[in-house]
Amino acid sequence: LGFLVIALLGFIATRPDSFRLERSTVINAPAATIYPLIADFHRWTVWSPFEKMDAEGTLKRSYAGADSGLGAKYGWEGPRTGVGAMEIVEVETDRRVLIKLDFLKPFEAHNMAEFTLTPDAGGTRVTWAMFGPQPFVAKLMSLVFNNEKMMGPVFLDGLAALKTVAEAG
């Protein structure tokens, strides 16, 4: 039994020290239409899948810093979404938004989210990525909870909603 525990701990230790999850879609709209929907946290209520995870009226939101873009801050607290905060830390207007993402409850994690907008034959390719460190406990959890299977569909839902809103003008 001791050997199995040591073997399992050794296997977990060999898992990657970081992770990256990303999904993308092409939106038939210019980057100038899409970018404000991402760079303004107030506008996330119309497309972000996380906004709809908690029952209507149970998600508490707070905004601070800049209204949008660099320095904009957003905090949330909800029964399903937990407690966390985001801050836009880098922007390239109509091209890229980098967000510091801090989950506080039900588990603590500190990651980055990145949106990139690139020209594409059908409009603008929007890529939504999340990446960050994967400490030992997260490596252990990844054996049971597959981040790709859990979060990949959520990102695709968000991109589909963003596409709907952006294409509607």
Side-chain angles (χ1 to χ4, degrees):
L1 182 62
F3 175 76
L4 289 175
V5 170
I6 291 171
L8 178 62
L9 293 175
F11 174 72
I12 293 168
T14 65
R15 308 277 296 164
D17 292 331
S18 63
F19 77 95
R20 182 175 181 90
L21 168 74
E22 76 176 44
R23 296 291 186 271
S24 65
T25 192
V26 175
I27 298 177
N28 188 18
T33 299
I34 304 163
Y35 176 83
L37 295 169
I38 299 167
D40 182 349
F41 290 133
H42 298 89
R43 298 182 74 182
W44 282 43
T45 57
V46 298
W47 67 267
S48 173
F50 301 103
E51 292 285 333
K52 295 161 186 61
M53 285 186 174
D54 289 308
E56 186 67 33
T58 61
L59 183 64
K60 296 176 187 167
R61 300 172 188 88
S62 62
Y63 302 94
D67 287 337
S68 68
L70 188 63
K73 297 177 184 179
Y74 170 74
W76 73 88
E77 183 176 345
R80 289 196 63 215
T81 53
V83 178
M86 298 189 290
E87 179 181 359
I88 297 177
V89 294
E90 288 181 27
V91 296
E92 294 175 50
T93 303
D94 297 342
R95 296 187 56 204
R96 181 173 172 265
V97 177
L98 184 66
I99 300 167
K100 180 179 166 231
L101 181 57
D102 295 312
F103 298 101
L104 304 174
K105 290 182 182 179
F107 58 88
E108 187 171 345
H110 305 283
N111 300 312
M112 301 299 285
E114 180 181 46
F115 291 86
T116 55
L117 293 81
T118 54
D120 192 279
T124 304
R125 176 166 296 280
V126 178
T127 301
W128 183 1
M130 183 170 68
F131 55 93
Q134 188 163 254
F136 189 83
V137 172
K139 292 178 189 186
L140 174 63
M141 289 176 52
S142 74
L143 296 176
V144 179
F145 300 105
N146 184 317
N147 215 14
E148 285 286 332
K149 288 182 181 176
M150 284 179 27
M151 295 306 299
V154 175
F155 277 31
L156 289 174
D157 287 348
L159 289 169
L162 181 62
K163 177 179 177 75
T164 299
V165 172
E167 289 180 355

